[in-house]
Amino acid sequence: MLLDCLKWRVQNEIDDILSKPIIPADLYRSVRDSQLIGLSGYSKEGLPVFAIGVGLSSFDKASVHYYVQSHIQINEYRDRVILPSASKRHRRPITTCLKVLDMTGLRLSALSQIKLLTIISTVDDLNYPEKTNTYYIANAPYIFSACWKVVKPLLQERTRKKVQVLPGSGRDDLLKIMDYSSLPHFCKGEGSGSGRHSTYGPENCYSLDHPFHQQLYSYINDQFLLREPVQPIKQGSFHVALPEAAAEGTEIAKTIESELQKFENGSGMPDSLDGLKINGD
């Protein structure tokens, strides 16, 4: 697995990916607006907390390669900058992060995104293993509950133990492991729910205007200038060979697809099941 990972990094020039900015800036903003992820803060133990808007990510503003490029850049920035800085600050090795997945807005139309999500998860499984300590699921509608019940048995035990489905927005549970200032913006309300363009302003860690994304984009542009000081930045995505999904990932994707199709074929089932909440499962 290690040899395959090293080969993948060499063949796809991953060591250089943080010097390959997505331009123009408006295109990068479109990627950020449709691939919702950001760093909201740190846990009380010093682990970075990444928020991911699973339900509201549309992945419809750019090509697949831009989304894969952006995802890998965030992984690399996490491993090269965020984690080493956290380790230095706490004077101990910090090698993993926490992820809070917001399921607000999860719809049956997510069926069309399964292929891209499978590609991204396969990239992580093969090349960035064991980087996530715990996955916290917030604002889970009924459609997630139904899929989770059939997918859960397919996961390896160590993966199942990493997933915690929280009631509602998960605010009270998350405050046990992080301060209020580090809560993702969609967990700060008493109830549940989020928004792609919410009223949280600068607290919205998905936004390109958030300090995390400003620092990341500036870092990538600075790295480009260090490597190519006299060359203009060329527009175009940084193509990474898209991996074949592992057998486990393929089976999970097919299972999710089957469950979503059951809802789609059901009579009287609304496209958005946002209002239906799970009961402590």
Side-chain angles (χ1 to χ4, degrees), residues 243-257:
E244 292 291 332
E248 181 188 36
T250 301
E251 184 177 1
I252 291 172
K254 289 181 177 178
T255 301
I256 294 174
E257 185 174 357

Side-chain angles (χ1 to χ4, degrees), residues 20-25 27-28 31 66-67 69-70 73 217 220 236:
K20 306 288 184 180
I22 295 175
I23 60 161
L27 174 60
Y28 188 63
V31 171
Y66 281 117
Y67 290 117
Q69 176 183 351
S70 174
Q73 286 177 329
Y217 199 53
I220 294 173

Side-chain angles (χ1 to χ4, degrees), residues 64-80:
V64 169
H65 290 283
Y66 281 117
Y67 290 117
V68 173
Q69 176 183 351
S70 174
H71 179 79
I72 295 175
Q73 286 177 329
I74 291 175
N75 280 355
E76 291 289 318
Y77 188 73
R78 174 198 63 200
D79 294 349
R80 298 189 209 179

Side-chain angles (χ1 to χ4, degrees), residues 6-281:
L6 292 174
K7 183 178 179 181
W8 174 80
R9 293 187 68 87
V10 171
Q11 290 180 338
N12 294 283
E13 301 179 348
I14 300 302
D15 286 351
D16 297 334
I17 199 168
L18 286 180
S19 61
K20 306 288 184 180
I22 295 175
I23 60 161
D26 286 345
L27 174 60
Y28 188 63
R29 184 176 293 277
S30 295
V31 171
R32 292 277 56 83
D33 286 345
S34 54
Q35 182 183 35
L36 305 182
I37 182 173
L39 179 72
S40 65
Y42 294 82
S43 72
K44 294 177 181 178
E45 295 184 347
L47 276 65
V49 178
F50 284 90
I52 303 174
V54 177
L56 291 173
S57 290
S58 59
F59 298 104
D60 60 353
K61 305 296 184 183
S63 71
V64 169
H65 290 283
Y66 281 117
Y67 290 117
V68 173
Q69 176 183 351
S70 174
H71 179 79
I72 295 175
Q73 286 177 329
I74 291 175
N75 280 355
E76 291 289 318
Y77 188 73
R78 174 198 63 200
D79 294 349
R80 298 189 209 179
V81 179
I82 299 296
L83 292 175
S85 296
S87 299
K88 184 177 181 179
R89 188 163 56 248
H90 290 270
R91 298 182 180 180
R92 64 180 180 84
I94 293 178
T95 59
T96 60
C97 66
L98 304 177
K99 292 183 179 178
V100 184
L101 280 59
D102 180 22
M103 296 294 168
T104 298
L106 189 65
R107 297 172 180 270
L108 298 176
S109 56
L111 192 64
S112 63
Q113 303 167 13
I114 286 179
K115 183 176 180 180
L116 174 57
L117 294 174
T118 302
I119 290 171
I120 288 175
S121 65
T122 302
V123 166
D124 285 353
D125 290 342
L126 296 179
N127 304 290
Y128 302 94
E130 304 300 328
K131 285 294 182 179
T132 302
N133 183 284
T134 309
Y135 297 89
Y136 295 99
I137 310 297
N139 300 317
Y142 178 74
I143 190 172
F144 170 82
S145 178
C147 289
W148 176 240
K149 286 179 179 178
V150 295
V151 167
K152 190 175 181 180
L154 302 177
L155 299 175
Q156 296 180 17
E157 183 178 2
R158 61 183 174 82
T159 303
R160 288 200 302 270
K161 289 181 177 179
K162 289 184 177 182
V163 180
Q164 295 189 26
V165 182
L166 306 177
S169 68
R171 170 179 166 167
D172 293 340
D173 292 275
L174 292 174
L175 283 175
K176 297 174 184 177
I177 59 171
M178 67 185 74
D179 294 332
Y180 181 83
S181 60
S182 290
L183 283 177
H185 58 280
F186 52 81
C187 296
K188 290 186 174 180
E190 292 292 343
S192 62
S194 172
R196 184 177 309 173
H197 303 289
S198 67
T199 58
Y200 293 96
E203 293 187 24
N204 183 349
C205 63
Y206 299 153
S207 171
L208 179 55
D209 299 320
H210 187 271
F212 167 70
H213 285 297
Q214 286 293 303
Q215 292 164 11
L216 169 60
Y217 199 53
S218 294
Y219 181 90
I220 294 173
N221 280 284
D222 289 345
Q223 292 301 305
F224 170 81
L225 293 175
L226 288 174
R227 295 180 62 88
E228 306 285 351
V230 297
Q231 295 293 327
I233 302 177
K234 296 180 180 179
Q235 184 173 353
S237 61
F238 183 81
H239 282 229
V240 174
L242 302 180
E244 292 291 332
E248 181 188 36
T250 301
E251 184 177 1
I252 291 172
K254 289 181 177 178
T255 301
I256 294 174
E257 185 174 357
S258 174
E259 287 301 307
L260 290 175
Q261 285 177 340
K262 288 179 183 178
F263 281 103
E264 194 173 45
N265 296 332
S267 58
M269 187 65 69
D271 180 58
S272 173
L273 301 176
D274 212 19
L276 298 176
K277 294 293 173 183
I278 62 175
N279 295 317
D281 189 9

